[in-house]
Amino acid sequence: MNYTAAHEVALEKFRACSLADMARCSGYPIEGNTLSVDFLGGHYNVEYPSGQFWSGSVPTPSDELPVFTQILILHYLANLNESVETGTLISYKELPGGSIYIQPFTHRAIDPLVRSFGANPDRLLDVATRLGGQFNGLGDMGVTFRVFPRIPVTLILWRADDEFPASGNILFDASAPSILPTEDYAVLASAVVFGFKRISAEL
């Protein structure tokens, strides 16, 4: 997929916001003329107003932080809606229009979650806690991980038994639709699962 146009739109929205407003609403601090962003174990500075991502003192290579991930982060930073977290969990199909895309979401995020951690759910907890996530008591193994300061994601696994194979689900706070568009949550959930898989391989 060509993300160039979507990246340009995301940059326009980012540049239309003030650095102070984005820091206040996103929960990320300002460092000089950048926002200091932690994302799935990586640390990046997003320069304002260019929207360029830096890792250390040099621009971040696109193979380290793919353009669709940069778009996701820019969307989050440029959303100035100050909605309050509800504590109520909803599934992807409960997001606006989500029921239409539940099969691609399942293929893109839930199935890889089960393939990666279904045989060893405790490994999911190891990775989540390493990144600051927490056990939530749901399913046979459930963790909640704050991908962004205002966006917690809940991952749940059920172990295989004599009747059913391992299964899983990914849930969001009911405030999610006011922060990012529905399609971004497919990107976000997939990034979390594959990020967890990568970190698990490094442990």
Side-chain angles (χ1 to χ4, degrees):
M1 181 180 293
N2 187 342
Y3 290 98
T4 302
H7 189 215
E8 287 301 320
V9 171
L11 286 172
E12 288 177 12
K13 292 179 179 178
F14 174 80
R15 291 164 181 159
C17 301
S18 75
L19 193 59
D21 283 345
M22 286 191 286
R24 174 174 52 82
C25 293
S26 71
Y28 286 126
I30 297 173
E31 291 184 3
N33 66 329
T34 72
L35 287 163
S36 178
V37 173
D38 290 314
F39 185 79
L40 285 171
H43 180 78
Y44 310 97
N45 288 312
V46 186
E47 187 179 52
Y48 183 83
S50 72
Q52 188 169 34
F53 283 72
W54 293 74
S55 180
S57 58
V58 297
T60 302
S62 60
D63 57 349
E64 179 181 337
L65 194 62
V67 65
F68 59 81
T69 304
Q70 295 185 34
I71 292 168
L72 178 68
I73 294 172
L74 290 170
H75 283 178
Y76 174 76
L77 295 175
N79 183 290
L80 304 183
N81 187 312
E82 298 186 68
S83 60
V84 178
E85 201 171 302
T86 68
T88 299
L89 296 176
I90 61 173
S91 66
Y92 187 82
K93 66 182 179 181
E94 294 173 272
L95 295 170
S99 59
I100 301 171
Y101 300 105
I102 188 62
Q103 285 188 325
F105 176 80
T106 300
H107 176 73
R108 186 173 185 176
I110 296 176
D111 289 346
L113 171 67
V114 175
R115 285 197 301 269
S116 299
F117 296 100
N120 187 4
D122 291 339
R123 192 68 169 177
L124 179 68
L125 180 61
D126 292 341
V127 176
T129 53
R130 182 183 179 91
L131 293 175
Q134 297 179 329
F135 177 71
N136 58 33
L138 299 174
D140 291 325
M141 173 56 68
V143 299
T144 299
F145 169 67
R146 206 165 280 277
V147 189
F148 294 118
R150 296 172 58 212
I151 301 183
V153 174
T154 294
L155 310 174
I156 308 170
L157 287 170
W158 289 270
R159 289 182 172 88
D161 59 26
D162 293 339
E163 296 184 37
F164 300 101
S167 61
N169 205 355
I170 300 175
L171 305 176
F172 308 95
D173 187 80
S175 62
S178 65
I179 303 174
L180 289 174
T182 296
E183 55 268 28
D184 276 0
Y185 285 100
V187 177
L188 181 146
S190 177
V192 169
V193 171
F194 284 95
F196 274 33
K197 180 181 178 180
R198 172 181 52 80
I199 293 167
S200 176
E202 297 170 354
L203 293 179

